[in-house]
Amino acid sequence: MKALIFALITLISLPTFSDSKRLSNNSDEKKKQERHPQPLSVFDIIPLNSPVKESTAKFLLKVPNGFDIDEVKYKVKNAFHSFAKDKPHQKINLINGPQGTELHVSVSKLPPGFYQLYVKVKDRKNKEHEFKTKYKDHAMFVIDQTLEVKMPDSKINNATLLGVDSDNDGIRDDVQRWINENFSNKPIVLKLAFKQYAIAMQSSLPTSNNKTLSIQTSHATLKSQGCLYEVGDETGIPGREQEEIRKKIKLMYLNTKERIEAELKADENFHGQEVTILSKEEACNF
């Protein structure tokens, strides 16, 4: 089955969603640039070092000839904390880098995870322009630490709905260790796709008693499933293996009575909702 399973459907529940369309594997850097979503704004933002493993996230800011920038503002949002209070943009200076004009954002105080970068610029006529593409109004990047978190005590980890997440990246520590260990020799995008799914699974549990939020987090879970199937196909992972890994992660999350009851409630909340087709660019947070 292909990603057409995302077609507008009703009476769908989370456990029944599976498989996606096949994409060809392409790791060549030039073709990766060609796949970069074309901006609808006058300027473009291209991540240069995502996943970020240092203190600064770097982005190439491309503008057409003759376009002069007078001021740049940005804000960063953690995709996991999508319901958090929005913060205002703040000014930032541009840097002349080897590839052109760059925007450097300090991320040393941010936990690992998926992030969204929003950028506004003013030209010399004081006209403001916001970055956007066909799919999003932000550029995406990932902070991915390679160091393992400690394996939590199982009794403490299973005593609460969310368990132990010591680095606050939205993934329970035991699940994070499992993904890091089992995908250490796999393409980085595959690990990121399954981490996105893990974040969605974890965020769906505490919202199950609020139907509106629960529906939103269920949509995020389906979105993450679409992403991991797209990436799995692109990296040559058979559909059956993709589904087995997804189910493994899901079962890790649903390992207590409280967690199972929250999942059942979330599934009940989502009953009758519609789901639309999503491209890889829309489905993946990286």
PDB file of all heavy atoms in Angstrom, residues 160-171:
ATOM      1  N   THR A 160       4.762   6.699  36.424  1.00  0.00           N
ATOM      2  CA  THR A 160       3.951   7.826  35.956  1.00  0.00           C
ATOM      3  C   THR A 160       3.579   7.627  34.486  1.00  0.00           C
ATOM      4  O   THR A 160       4.130   6.760  33.795  1.00  0.00           O
ATOM      5  CB  THR A 160       4.713   9.149  36.096  1.00  0.00           C
ATOM      6  OG1 THR A 160       5.929   9.076  35.326  1.00  0.00           O
ATOM      7  CG2 THR A 160       5.060   9.417  37.542  1.00  0.00           C
ATOM      8  N   LEU A 161       2.661   8.452  34.026  1.00  0.00           N
ATOM      9  CA  LEU A 161       2.199   8.347  32.643  1.00  0.00           C
ATOM     10  C   LEU A 161       3.328   8.596  31.649  1.00  0.00           C
ATOM     11  O   LEU A 161       3.485   7.862  30.672  1.00  0.00           O
ATOM     12  CB  LEU A 161       1.066   9.352  32.402  1.00  0.00           C
ATOM     13  CG  LEU A 161       0.428   9.353  31.003  1.00  0.00           C
ATOM     14  CD1 LEU A 161      -0.276   8.026  30.731  1.00  0.00           C
ATOM     15  CD2 LEU A 161      -0.554  10.511  30.869  1.00  0.00           C
ATOM     16  N   LEU A 162       4.135   9.614  31.893  1.00  0.00           N
ATOM     17  CA  LEU A 162       5.183  10.000  30.939  1.00  0.00           C
ATOM     18  C   LEU A 162       6.525   9.344  31.203  1.00  0.00           C
ATOM     19  O   LEU A 162       7.371   9.291  30.321  1.00  0.00           O
ATOM     20  CB  LEU A 162       5.348  11.518  30.936  1.00  0.00           C
ATOM     21  CG  LEU A 162       4.164  12.310  30.380  1.00  0.00           C
ATOM     22  CD1 LEU A 162       4.443  13.804  30.444  1.00  0.00           C
ATOM     23  CD2 LEU A 162       3.857  11.889  28.951  1.00  0.00           C
ATOM     24  N   GLY A 163       6.752   8.848  32.415  1.00  0.00           N
ATOM     25  CA  GLY A 163       8.029   8.213  32.710  1.00  0.00           C
ATOM     26  C   GLY A 163       9.159   9.218  32.802  1.00  0.00           C
ATOM     27  O   GLY A 163       8.946  10.408  33.013  1.00  0.00           O
ATOM     28  N   VAL A 164      10.383   8.743  32.607  1.00  0.00           N
ATOM     29  CA  VAL A 164      11.582   9.571  32.798  1.00  0.00           C
ATOM     30  C   VAL A 164      12.082  10.106  31.458  1.00  0.00           C
ATOM     31  O   VAL A 164      12.345   9.344  30.526  1.00  0.00           O
ATOM     32  CB  VAL A 164      12.710   8.765  33.477  1.00  0.00           C
ATOM     33  CG1 VAL A 164      13.968   9.625  33.625  1.00  0.00           C
ATOM     34  CG2 VAL A 164      12.246   8.247  34.832  1.00  0.00           C
ATOM     35  N   ASP A 165      12.205  11.432  31.368  1.00  0.00           N
ATOM     36  CA  ASP A 165      12.778  12.096  30.193  1.00  0.00           C
ATOM     37  C   ASP A 165      13.795  13.103  30.713  1.00  0.00           C
ATOM     38  O   ASP A 165      13.514  14.293  30.822  1.00  0.00           O
ATOM     39  CB  ASP A 165      11.682  12.781  29.372  1.00  0.00           C
ATOM     40  CG  ASP A 165      12.219  13.527  28.159  1.00  0.00           C
ATOM     41  OD1 ASP A 165      13.379  13.286  27.778  1.00  0.00           O
ATOM     42  OD2 ASP A 165      11.474  14.358  27.595  1.00  0.00           O
ATOM     43  N   SER A 166      14.988  12.635  31.053  1.00  0.00           N
ATOM     44  CA  SER A 166      15.970  13.446  31.772  1.00  0.00           C
ATOM     45  C   SER A 166      16.498  14.626  30.967  1.00  0.00           C
ATOM     46  O   SER A 166      16.862  15.654  31.539  1.00  0.00           O
ATOM     47  CB  SER A 166      17.136  12.571  32.227  1.00  0.00           C
ATOM     48  OG  SER A 166      17.793  11.976  31.118  1.00  0.00           O
ATOM     49  N   ASP A 167      16.574  14.508  29.645  1.00  0.00           N
ATOM     50  CA  ASP A 167      17.088  15.615  28.835  1.00  0.00           C
ATOM     51  C   ASP A 167      15.968  16.446  28.216  1.00  0.00           C
ATOM     52  O   ASP A 167      16.222  17.345  27.406  1.00  0.00           O
ATOM     53  CB  ASP A 167      18.049  15.123  27.756  1.00  0.00           C
ATOM     54  CG  ASP A 167      17.396  14.135  26.789  1.00  0.00           C
ATOM     55  OD1 ASP A 167      16.186  13.829  26.967  1.00  0.00           O
ATOM     56  OD2 ASP A 167      18.083  13.658  25.870  1.00  0.00           O
ATOM     57  N   ASN A 168      14.721  16.146  28.578  1.00  0.00           N
ATOM     58  CA  ASN A 168      13.567  16.951  28.159  1.00  0.00           C
ATOM     59  C   ASN A 168      13.488  17.131  26.640  1.00  0.00           C
ATOM     60  O   ASN A 168      13.173  18.208  26.139  1.00  0.00           O
ATOM     61  CB  ASN A 168      13.607  18.330  28.839  1.00  0.00           C
ATOM     62  CG  ASN A 168      12.281  19.073  28.725  1.00  0.00           C
ATOM     63  OD1 ASN A 168      11.213  18.460  28.742  1.00  0.00           O
ATOM     64  ND2 ASN A 168      12.348  20.384  28.597  1.00  0.00           N
ATOM     65  N   ASP A 169      13.760  16.065  25.897  1.00  0.00           N
ATOM     66  CA  ASP A 169      13.675  16.143  24.440  1.00  0.00           C
ATOM     67  C   ASP A 169      12.352  15.591  23.910  1.00  0.00           C
ATOM     68  O   ASP A 169      12.155  15.491  22.702  1.00  0.00           O
ATOM     69  CB  ASP A 169      14.844  15.414  23.784  1.00  0.00           C
ATOM     70  CG  ASP A 169      14.806  13.905  24.007  1.00  0.00           C
ATOM     71  OD1 ASP A 169      14.054  13.453  24.904  1.00  0.00           O
ATOM     72  OD2 ASP A 169      15.522  13.179  23.296  1.00  0.00           O
ATOM     73  N   GLY A 170      11.446  15.235  24.818  1.00  0.00           N
ATOM     74  CA  GLY A 170      10.150  14.736  24.394  1.00  0.00           C
ATOM     75  C   GLY A 170      10.097  13.246  24.167  1.00  0.00           C
ATOM     76  O   GLY A 170       9.045  12.723  23.758  1.00  0.00           O
ATOM     77  N   ILE A 171      11.205  12.553  24.421  1.00  0.00           N
ATOM     78  CA  ILE A 171      11.262  11.101  24.240  1.00  0.00           C
ATOM     79  C   ILE A 171      11.653  10.467  25.570  1.00  0.00           C
ATOM     80  O   ILE A 171      12.659  10.860  26.170  1.00  0.00           O
ATOM     81  CB  ILE A 171      12.288  10.695  23.167  1.00  0.00           C
ATOM     82  CG1 ILE A 171      12.008  11.427  21.850  1.00  0.00           C
ATOM     83  CG2 ILE A 171      12.259   9.187  22.930  1.00  0.00           C
ATOM     84  CD1 ILE A 171      13.043  11.176  20.774  1.00  0.00           C
TER      85      ILE A 171
END
